[in-house]
Amino acid sequence: MKKQLILGMALSAMILNSCGPKVPQLGQATIDEVINAMTLEEKAHLVVGTGMAGFSGDSAVIGKTKKLVPGAAGTTYPIERLGIPAVVLADGPAGLRIAPTREGDSATYYCTHFPIGTLLASTWDQELVENVGKAIGNEVLEYGADVLLAPALNIHRNPLCGRNFEYYSEDPLVSGKIAAAYVRGVQSNGVGTSIKHFAVNNQESNRMAVDAHVSPRALREIYLKGFEIAIKEANPWTVMSSYNYLNGIYTSENPELLTTLLRDEWGFKGMVMTDWFGGKDAVAQMKAGNDMLQPGLDKQYEAIVNAVKKGTLDEAVLNRNVERILNMILQTPHFKKYNYSNKPDLQAHAKITRQSATEGMVLLENDNQTLPLSSNIQKVALFGCTSYNFIAGGTGSGNVNRAYTVSLLDGLKNANFQVNEELKDTYQKYIAEENERNKPKGDNPMVKFLPTPLPTEMELPASQLNNYAAQTDIAMITLGRMSGEFLDRKVSDFNLSKEETKLISDVCKAFHAAGKKVVVILNIGGVIETSSWKNLPDAILCAWQAGQEGGNSVADILSGKAYPSGKLTMTFPVKFEDAASSANFPTEGAMSSLNMTDPKEKKSEVKLWDYTDYEEDIYVGYRYFDSFGKQVSYPFGYGLSYTTFEYGTPQVKAENGTYTVTVDVKNTGKLPGKEVVELYVSAPQGGDLNKPEKELKAFAKTKELKPGETTSVTMTVKTFDLASYNESTSAWVTDSGTYKFSIGSSSRDIKATQDVEVAGGVDKTHDILHLQAPINILKK
């Protein structure tokens, strides 16, 4: 009887439920209907991530999301009764970052480590970067993730920033165009991106609490312009707010940045999320337009619920943020129930990373056509510890769990060079001893997230060097640098160590005495000092950090199988102190707090730690060096080729506020090659605003040109692109007058110029993002 009663009750409930109103389902009902059906608690859960249960991985900050994609950075909160799934957010930007192994699973889930951002930008090739993005996005899709937390496009304000390897350039146009190409490529797979870190995340020192003091003009022209370009040209799904304060306000709590500028002025329609544990006041973040807080804390959820109940947070604001999150979820593979394979084509992607890396490597020196190596160069003496342990990329969230890294040793052997075995054995024994000595002490789990100290370079006696010079055809020396999250580089890391300097000097002396040449390979993520030693070797190749196929890519360049066509997207100063920001950048390499869940009260006592004044203002990189006539080691835009190019006379056509520049480029050498063509514009001087000597306004990379072949390159610039920001009128102002359009192969190698008459214009903006107190602004 009891059993029959229960069955009857259940049947009655089913009948009543079928007769009653149906619960709205995401994707079937309107978003407004779904939001109206949500409880306050469900809304608060949705705008806060599911939390970070722990850390895993070999050297990157990572969250565990065991039920979905192990090792992904985080997930959103699922509400099954409304058809709202959890979606997966995973790190980049050099490739997807997930756990390579899983508990109780014999399979492996390695991802491809592609070249770092600095190298990709150095290709100056938007089509190539888009293709790399397509391959990365395919791995995101096939491994079950939904949004890649990339690209990172903060400005190379200073050579010592620990995360410069993830970023693209000292120039906002290069940063924006390369980021836009990356976003288009990744999102072509039906997965999303999160462009970061918005904004002014230019130092790791005290990164969660430092206050960046930046003028509205410098913000608009330098630090925000790349984001504006990427948003308007590529429509990223999401934007990630940065950790730092900006002019006294946390970026994730700043409505002028996240709403007035990003949405009202730029027209961004997507979702904004915090960097992991970013900001402090969850209610202020909601009001500012920071839609989602990641990875999520219980206290954030409680603060939002309580604020709505108390009336200090309008539920309409919460609904607005929920709506943006739901719009993002609707686009995701998880919502669309994509049947991901967990088996992307890693072999095909290895070929993509190998080829793409060669196009971003920059040939800095090549005396007497040392490179490519002639066919009679077979026996190689390989010096430098990094030759045997090549660095694929930086540490932290920008790292990738890959199956392997091809060292230069491996790459040379794969290219059929003979590497001196005695020297190899000596180095490998020494490196093993050094690695044991440098092994992190203690059991602090956070140590694994930091760059591992590289071995001190080994000193070799002159007699040994002379023997190696006699036994081999050429010497190669690799210099390496590591960097990553949590701390910036030191000046000592910018300069060569005394051991590195002596190694270069001694090897060059021994090999040159034997009539043999020396090639230096720079396996670095950011700028180092080159001026004091670059005249010693016969060739210098800046290989950057080229991903898992790095050794093969370098060997392809050295052997002539591929040719270098990269150019620098940043200036190499003669010495660190020459950088305009050097007096306003931390140089001690001090560790940021590893307690990310407890932001401290804002302080302002310690310069360069609690606050940093951007006194150089708009004069970042080449804008400073060229405007103030400072000598540099290598200028912005510089890079040699295995061939030579000749530029024709540029033609400029003006029509309806658009200036179309066309120039012929001819390969005048004996080998094929590609040339990067750079268009700089010099504005009329003497107006209300200081103007840089020149600014990059467009660029293009030619197709491969065979010897004797000519191609026509076309670039466009609009009147608005020529504007400077006038803080006193809160407007972009293009002065009327004569502008100099210059075609160059670097900022200091101008091939041809044309005077162009420009009719001015004014574009009003909101009066926002002010400094709280004046700072000393550099002026010409």
Side-chain angles (χ1 to χ4, degrees):
M1 183 68 183
K2 186 176 181 181
K3 186 174 181 181
Q4 289 177 329
L5 180 61
I6 292 173
L7 287 171
M9 291 173 64
L11 181 61
S12 298
M14 289 174 62
I15 294 170
L16 287 171
N17 186 55
S18 64
C19 295
K22 291 185 177 179
V23 177
Q25 297 294 296
L26 184 66
Q28 298 175 16
T30 67
I31 285 185
D32 284 343
E33 289 171 332
V34 173
I35 293 173
N36 289 335
M38 294 174 71
T39 65
L40 169 60
E41 289 74 17
E42 286 173 331
K43 294 173 186 177
H45 272 306
L46 190 64
V47 298
V48 177
T50 59
M52 182 175 277
F55 298 103
S56 66
D58 54 16
S59 63
V61 179
I62 278 242
K64 286 184 177 178
T65 49
K66 290 183 178 179
K67 291 183 179 179
L68 293 174
V69 182
T75 59
T76 64
Y77 187 84
I79 306 173
E80 293 179 1
R81 74 179 189 90
L82 299 172
I84 302 172
V87 300
V88 178
L89 316 172
D91 278 322
L96 177 65
R97 173 75 190 194
I98 60 174
T101 57
R102 300 177 182 179
E103 189 176 340
D105 187 344
S106 61
T108 57
Y109 300 85
Y110 289 113
C111 299
T112 305
H113 196 316
F114 291 86
I116 61 170
T118 303
L119 186 152
L120 288 180
S122 297
T123 68
W124 298 67
D125 189 329
Q126 296 172 71
E127 183 179 356
L128 177 147
V129 174
E130 187 167 337
N131 287 334
V132 170
K134 288 178 181 177
I136 294 173
N138 175 257
E139 294 190 16
V140 175
L141 177 67
E142 293 302 337
Y143 276 132
D146 296 282
V147 177
L148 183 70
L149 305 176
L153 62 147
N154 295 102
I155 292 294
H156 286 206
R157 174 179 176 249
N158 187 276
L160 299 187
C161 176
R163 296 184 81 170
N164 274 354
F165 73 94
E166 292 186 58
Y167 305 155
Y168 295 132
S169 176
E170 67 190 23
D171 182 80
L173 178 71
V174 174
S175 299
K177 292 288 187 179
I178 296 299
Y182 183 104
V183 168
R184 287 193 298 270
V186 172
Q187 293 190 171
S188 68
N189 292 273
V191 297
T193 58
S194 188
I195 62 173
K196 61 184 185 182
H197 311 88
F198 193 63
V200 201
N201 190 161
N202 302 112
Q203 71 180 62
E204 287 298 286
S205 300
N206 196 26
R207 64 179 184 163
M208 312 241 351
V210 66
D211 190 358
H213 298 162
V214 195
S215 76
R217 182 183 180 190
L219 282 172
R220 297 268 192 172
E221 292 188 20
I222 304 297
Y223 297 100
L224 300 176
K225 178 58 71 173
F227 286 95
E228 180 181 4
I229 292 169
I231 285 165
K232 290 181 176 179
E233 294 189 3
N235 193 28
W237 287 13
T238 77
V239 169
M240 181 188 291
S241 56
S242 58
Y243 285 131
N244 51 283
Y245 290 88
L246 173 59
N247 294 339
I249 305 173
Y250 266 128
T251 59
S252 63
E253 299 172 11
N254 191 334
E256 291 185 349
L257 181 70
L258 301 184
T259 296
T260 308
L261 181 86
L262 180 62
R263 298 185 184 281
D264 297 344
E265 288 192 19
W266 295 353
F268 178 65
K269 303 298 184 185
M271 185 195 88
V272 176
M273 72 176 83
T274 61
D275 202 343
W276 266 227
F277 305 107
K280 186 174 183 179
D281 185 335
V283 175
Q285 290 170 313
M286 290 293 102
K287 292 178 179 179
N290 200 118
D291 309 302
M292 181 181 289
L293 312 182
Q294 281 289 347
L297 298 168
D298 290 341
K299 64 181 181 181
Q300 293 172 323
Y301 163 79
E302 293 163 2
I304 291 168
V305 170
N306 291 335
V308 173
K309 289 180 177 179
K310 291 178 181 178
T312 55
L313 174 62
D314 189 338
E315 191 165 359
V317 170
L318 186 59
N319 291 346
R320 174 200 67 185
N321 297 355
V322 167
E323 179 180 358
R324 293 169 182 162
I325 295 170
L326 292 178
N327 276 323
M328 182 273 293
I329 291 173
L330 280 169
Q331 302 176 76
T332 61
H334 262 106
F335 177 77
K336 296 176 180 178
K337 295 181 171 56
Y338 178 74
N339 185 23
Y340 58 90
S341 68
N342 271 326
K343 294 180 180 179
D345 191 343
L346 298 181
Q347 287 187 331
H349 295 169
K351 292 177 182 177
I352 292 172
T353 186
R354 176 173 178 168
Q355 184 276 328
S356 64
T358 64
E359 297 215 20
M361 293 181 180
V362 184
L363 185 61
L364 299 176
E365 301 286 342
N366 195 24
D367 296 344
N368 298 315
Q369 296 179 319
T370 297
L371 299 177
L373 299 175
S374 61
S375 58
N376 62 345
I377 301 291
Q378 291 295 317
K379 299 177 181 178
V380 178
L382 198 53
F383 297 92
C385 297
T386 311
S387 294
Y388 300 89
N389 283 335
F390 228 48
I391 301 166
T395 62
S397 60
N399 195 8
V400 179
N401 286 318
R402 57 202 175 274
Y404 61 87
T405 301
V406 178
S407 69
L408 182 57
L409 170 69
D410 299 328
L412 291 172
K413 286 187 171 182
N414 292 340
N416 296 317
F417 289 97
Q418 300 169 33
V419 176
N420 186 277
E421 290 292 323
E422 179 188 340
L423 182 58
K424 180 202 74 172
D425 292 343
T426 301
Y427 261 105
Q428 290 184 331
K429 179 182 178 183
Y430 174 79
I431 291 168
E433 294 170 351
E434 281 285 286
N435 287 344
E436 183 63 29
R437 185 175 67 84
N438 290 330
K439 187 180 294 184
K441 306 299 188 290
D443 57 358
N444 182 355
M446 298 299 288
V447 170
K448 64 188 177 184
F449 306 142
L450 305 175
T452 303
L454 297 177
T456 301
E457 286 300 343
M458 178 172 55
E459 183 175 352
L460 295 164
S463 58
Q464 270 188 274
L465 292 174
N466 291 335
N467 286 337
Y468 293 135
Q471 296 168 12
T472 58
D473 303 322
I474 195 168
M476 296 182 188
I477 306 170
T478 305
L479 302 180
R481 289 291 185 275
M482 286 287 288
S483 62
E485 288 190 84
F486 298 107
L487 74 167
D488 293 308
R489 297 166 58 202
K490 301 178 182 180
V491 175
S492 59
D493 194 62
F494 173 85
N495 295 322
L496 265 59
S497 67
K498 64 180 186 297
E499 292 85 4
E500 289 172 325
T501 301
K502 183 170 173 46
L503 176 65
I504 293 173
S505 177
D506 289 351
V507 170
C508 287
K509 182 178 179 181
F511 276 75
H512 288 165
K516 310 288 178 67
K517 293 184 177 182
V518 179
V519 177
V520 171
I521 293 104
L522 301 180
N523 185 199
I524 58 179
V527 176
I528 66 169
E529 189 273 321
T530 53
S531 182
S532 67
W533 58 270
K534 66 181 183 180
N535 64 324
L536 296 178
D538 302 279
I540 303 173
L541 178 67
C542 183
W544 299 119
Q545 292 166 350
Q548 68 188 45
E549 289 282 331
N552 283 333
S553 299
V554 172
D556 288 343
I557 292 280
L558 298 176
S559 67
K561 180 179 178 180
Y563 49 81
S565 60
K567 292 195 176 185
L568 298 177
T569 61
M570 73 299 291
T571 307
F572 275 48
V574 172
K575 56 183 186 295
F576 171 75
E577 292 75 17
D578 289 342
S581 60
S582 62
N584 288 286
F585 193 88
T587 59
E588 302 302 316
M591 176 72 68
S592 294
S593 171
L594 300 180
N595 184 1
M596 300 169 67
T597 63
D598 184 25
K600 304 299 180 184
E601 291 296 327
K602 179 175 176 291
K603 297 180 180 180
S604 58
E605 295 87 3
V606 182
K607 183 179 181 181
L608 308 185
W609 185 259
D610 295 322
Y611 72 95
T612 299
D613 291 340
Y614 284 47
E615 294 181 343
E616 71 282 358
D617 205 45
I618 63 169
Y619 292 106
V620 178
Y622 73 91
R623 285 172 170 80
Y624 169 70
F625 291 107
D626 292 357
S627 299
F628 289 82
K630 295 284 290 186
Q631 183 181 353
V632 300
S633 184
Y634 296 110
F636 174 85
Y638 170 87
L640 301 176
S641 174
Y642 287 164
T643 189
T644 54
F645 299 97
E646 179 181 274
Y647 288 66
T649 301
Q651 303 296 318
V652 183
K653 180 181 178 182
E655 186 175 5
N656 298 325
T658 298
Y659 303 87
T660 303
V661 182
T662 305
V663 63
D664 288 343
V665 179
K666 181 179 181 180
N667 181 349
T668 55
K670 298 179 180 179
L671 294 172
K674 297 179 182 179
E675 173 70 334
V676 176
V677 182
E678 304 157 32
L679 173 61
Y680 297 90
V681 176
S682 301
Q685 300 289 336
D688 294 336
L689 302 177
N690 261 264
K691 300 290 181 72
E693 192 271 338
K694 69 171 78 72
E695 295 182 282
L696 184 75
K697 294 301 179 183
F699 61 88
K701 193 168 190 175
T702 70
K703 65 176 184 177
E704 179 177 288
L705 298 178
K706 296 179 174 60
E709 186 177 2
T710 299
T711 191
S712 183
V713 172
T714 300
M715 296 170 284
T716 59
V717 177
K718 296 182 179 179
T719 300
F720 177 75
D721 300 331
L722 305 177
S724 298
Y725 191 74
N726 190 323
E727 296 175 17
S728 64
T729 60
S730 301
W732 288 98
V733 179
T734 306
D735 292 330
S736 297
T738 304
Y739 287 69
K740 182 185 290 184
F741 281 45
S742 300
I743 299 291
S745 62
S746 80
S747 74
R748 297 208 171 173
D749 187 6
I750 302 302
K751 304 295 187 181
T753 62
Q754 288 278 9
D755 288 343
V756 179
E757 293 300 317
V758 174
V762 176
D763 290 271
K764 288 288 291 182
T765 71
H766 294 87
D767 185 17
I768 55 174
L769 302 173
H770 291 288
L771 284 160
Q772 291 190 327
I775 62 175
N776 294 320
I777 298 289
L778 178 65
K779 296 180 180 179
K780 283 200 296 183

